[in-house]
Amino acid sequence: MTKKKTKQITEFFQRNITGKKVVSLFIITNVVYAFMLTVTIPKTMEFSNGMKLLDMLPMGYDFNYVDQLCNTLGEIGRKTYLSNQIPVDMVYPLLFGISYCLVLAYFLNKLDKLKTVLAYLCLLPLLAGAMDYAENIGIIAILNSYPEIDPSTVTITSSFSLLKSTITTLYFVILILSLVALGIRTLRISKSTRSS
């Protein structure tokens, strides 16, 4: 990536990482996430006989699992999946991508690292969000095509689920490391202030 591109990205982040904006987006994102966890996922799982939904399988799944899940859900369960869980999950990835992108940018800025190539790490949530959309499209195709499920659709969708969870995990490791680095820096500054 060119220096010009890096500068454009960091300028965009710096315009949008005011504390109020970051906190507001973070709260909205997590309200939607909580709604999925407490309302739409449990409502869909009423039909799954304890089987986890495809969105909830970070290590992916195979054809047999998908076939069994669709069969267990039944027609009403599959319609509930399509009409309740999926619509909310088409809003969440965008919110996740933007808000968590800005959260990391906010902390990198505090560490004076936002004007470096580390700024590109802030794009990980957007990439995870894109994988989530690809996963959702695959799930819609599977649910609509049942009982004629295409094995290749399952394989591709499972790959997107795995990529989504891998990128998300990597992001949170980086975020935690950033918070630790900021904590250490804050302690050092306060110690030097007290000793001077």
Side-chain angles (χ1 to χ4, degrees):
M1 291 283 186
T2 62
K3 282 185 178 180
K4 188 182 177 185
K5 203 77 176 166
T6 306
K7 191 182 177 190
Q8 286 173 340
I9 289 170
T10 55
E11 282 174 357
F12 168 79
F13 288 144
Q14 284 178 319
R15 281 197 307 270
N16 290 284
I17 54 171
T18 58
K20 193 179 281 186
K21 188 179 282 188
V22 173
V23 170
S24 300
L25 272 168
F26 181 81
I27 290 169
I28 293 165
T29 300
N30 284 285
V31 165
V32 173
Y33 186 58
F35 180 74
M36 281 199 298
L37 288 179
T38 58
V39 180
T40 60
I41 290 173
K43 188 173 181 180
T44 308
M45 284 187 70
E46 284 175 15
F47 304 94
S48 74
N49 198 24
M51 291 183 76
K52 287 188 174 182
L53 304 182
L54 302 183
D55 322 61
M56 300 164 64
L57 296 164
M59 301 312 292
Y61 31 83
D62 59 18
F63 179 85
N64 290 334
Y65 186 90
V66 173
D67 188 51
Q68 190 184 342
L69 175 65
C70 288
N71 183 47
T72 305
L73 284 169
E75 191 178 347
I76 297 170
R78 292 192 299 274
K79 281 182 180 174
T80 304
Y81 202 159
L82 283 166
S83 62
N84 284 267
Q85 169 56 16
I86 294 292
V88 180
D89 202 19
M90 291 303 256
V91 174
Y92 179 71
L94 179 64
L95 288 172
F96 175 86
I98 295 169
S99 65
Y100 281 90
C101 169
L102 295 179
V103 164
L104 184 56
Y106 179 83
F107 289 116
L108 286 179
N109 191 51
K110 292 279 184 190
L111 289 163
D112 299 321
K113 298 290 183 189
L114 193 57
K115 290 183 180 178
T116 69
V117 289
L118 292 178
Y120 287 106
L121 294 173
C122 299
L123 301 177
L124 284 172
L126 295 171
L127 188 56
M131 295 302 107
D132 202 345
Y133 279 120
E135 174 195 62
N136 288 341
I137 291 164
I139 292 170
I140 291 166
I142 288 165
L143 292 169
N144 280 327
S145 66
Y146 186 81
E148 301 298 323
I149 301 172
D150 181 359
S152 61
T153 303
V154 173
T155 303
I156 293 165
T157 306
S158 177
S159 299
F160 284 128
S161 297
L162 184 59
L163 280 167
K164 176 189 79 172
S165 61
T166 304
I167 295 164
T168 303
T169 302
L170 176 63
Y171 167 79
F172 279 110
V173 168
I174 291 164
L175 181 63
I176 290 163
L177 290 172
S178 302
L179 290 169
V180 169
L182 186 60
I184 291 167
R185 181 179 170 167
T186 306
L187 283 171
R188 280 180 180 162
I189 291 168
S190 65
K191 273 184 183 177
S192 65
T193 307
R194 267 183 265 148
S195 59
S196 59

